[in-house]
Amino acid sequence: MAPVLSPGPETLVTHGWRDYALLDSGGGRKLERYGRYTVVRPEPQCFWSPKDPAAFDRADAVFDPTGEEDDGRWRFSGKPIDAFPLAWNDVKFTGRFTPFRHLAFFPEQAANWAWMDARVRKLQRPRILNLFGYTGVASLALAAAGAEVTHVDASKKSVTYARENAVQSGLEDAPIRWIVEDARKYVAREVRRGSKYHGVVLDPPKYGRGPTGEVWRLFEDLPGLLTDCAALLGDDADFLLLNAYAARISGLSLAHLMGQATADRGGRIDWGELALSEDGPDARAIGLSFFARWSA
């Protein structure tokens, strides 16, 4: 039986929490608060005008892009800031001013973390595979909810940061396997082994390289990987979550790809986009990525 495809998109909106807030946006930029620091980052889709332009000038850190992609450099109003502590619910982690305009995690993903947290807490110690796991916030959220997690990322540095975040969260002894490997190779090997999971999470980049030079291209490589991930779902599997940031993609296209991969599983496929929202009256939201998720 084919899964039921949701007839329309859903927008998963992340609002601010204690250690994060979207304060203002406009003029191609967004003003955010990370812990005690205010940060300005480029956001071309913010065509509108900011509510308080002067607040952008008072920010602690501003990212100045040097090209069309994510390269650039940070400019600080005072002493340069390297790393600082943050938290989301029970997960503690380090924010870092990376050379790629983000701060070592993606706050809009909090909507996905909350969705997975709610599902995992209803299961009995499920096995979850997190691919392209980066600095581990999603893996730690899953572990804190009671999951046994396999975290895979091609970057040794990112996995090192993820393990450090686990220590900060008091989850260094949690059942998490930390794997530095190309996601496609790891998943293909797991398929050959006959491994099964209750849930799989994919948050692939548009382009990337594996630890031994493997090249990842989203449009070319995602269909095969998603098919293999569906093969890893056990008969009692609960979810398969896919998130993508490529501009030339949509939630609907991801949903159709998900439908192909899970054609014999029944269940339901929801799709749409993830957004960050300002708080308060006349709040505006910024759509930042697209998702499709199969659930039993």
Side-chain angles (χ1 to χ4, degrees):
M1 178 187 297
V4 175
L5 181 67
S6 173
E10 179 180 0
T11 302
L12 303 180
V13 180
T14 292
H15 294 275
W17 67 89
R18 186 187 65 182
D19 278 351
Y20 175 81
L22 176 61
L23 302 175
D24 197 358
S25 60
R29 301 187 300 170
K30 55 190 174 189
L31 175 66
E32 302 163 286
R33 178 181 56 78
Y34 290 84
R36 62 190 181 92
Y37 300 111
T38 53
V39 174
V40 173
R41 296 192 292 159
E43 192 55 67
Q45 64 177 302
C46 296
F47 303 114
W48 49 84
S49 299
K51 296 176 181 176
D52 183 6
F56 287 71
D57 298 330
R58 298 192 296 267
D60 297 300
V62 176
F63 187 87
D64 294 322
T66 57
E68 293 184 1
E69 292 297 326
D70 291 336
D71 293 340
R73 63 182 58 187
W74 289 97
R75 173 167 44 88
F76 299 95
S77 62
K79 182 179 179 181
I81 307 160
D82 180 24
F84 54 96
L86 294 169
W88 180 83
N89 288 356
D90 296 330
V91 177
K92 298 178 181 178
F93 55 99
T94 297
R96 303 176 187 275
F97 287 91
T98 75
F100 311 108
R101 89 172 60 196
H102 56 77
L103 283 85
F105 81 107
F106 300 94
E108 64 274 10
Q109 288 295 325
N112 276 333
W113 305 337
W115 182 83
M116 291 188 292
D117 177 276
R119 296 195 74 88
V120 165
R121 290 184 186 275
K122 296 178 181 178
L123 305 174
Q124 186 65 37
R125 191 165 171 161
R127 296 186 70 221
I128 309 295
L129 175 62
N130 184 18
L131 301 170
F132 308 95
Y134 193 39
T135 57
V137 181
S139 293
L140 297 174
L142 289 162
E148 178 183 323
V149 183
T150 299
H151 173 106
V152 181
D153 196 276
S155 167
K156 183 177 181 180
K157 178 183 287 188
S158 293
V159 173
T160 297
Y161 287 157
R163 295 178 73 110
E164 292 174 358
N165 288 338
V167 173
Q168 289 185 57
S169 298
L171 293 169
E172 61 268 35
D173 296 323
I176 306 174
R177 296 179 63 215
W178 305 103
I179 309 293
V180 179
E181 191 170 355
D182 177 78
R184 290 165 298 175
K185 288 186 175 181
Y186 183 81
V187 168
R189 192 165 64 251
E190 286 287 85
V191 171
R192 292 194 297 270
R193 289 170 175 164
S195 298
K196 297 296 179 183
Y197 292 86
H198 296 95
V200 180
V201 185
L202 299 92
D203 188 14
K206 181 171 62 175
Y207 177 86
R209 287 190 176 274
T212 56
E214 304 90 342
V215 177
W216 165 267
R217 295 182 177 89
L218 182 73
F219 292 97
E220 291 85 350
D221 298 321
L222 180 58
L225 178 59
L226 190 61
T227 296
D228 281 350
C229 287
L232 293 179
L233 296 173
D235 292 339
D236 57 349
D238 190 70
F239 67 86
L240 173 56
L241 173 62
L242 169 63
N243 187 83
Y245 283 89
R248 294 182 61 193
I249 208 165
S250 69
L252 183 58
S253 66
L254 295 179
H256 287 312
L257 184 63
M258 182 73 74
Q260 175 180 287
T262 59
D264 59 348
R265 288 197 162 269
R268 176 183 176 88
I269 295 174
D270 295 295
W271 56 279
E273 67 177 324
L274 265 62
L276 280 174
S277 178
E278 302 166 354
D279 292 322
D282 302 319
R284 298 166 297 192
I286 308 169
L288 293 172
S289 71
F290 298 97
F291 76 91
R293 61 191 187 200
W294 169 85
S295 57

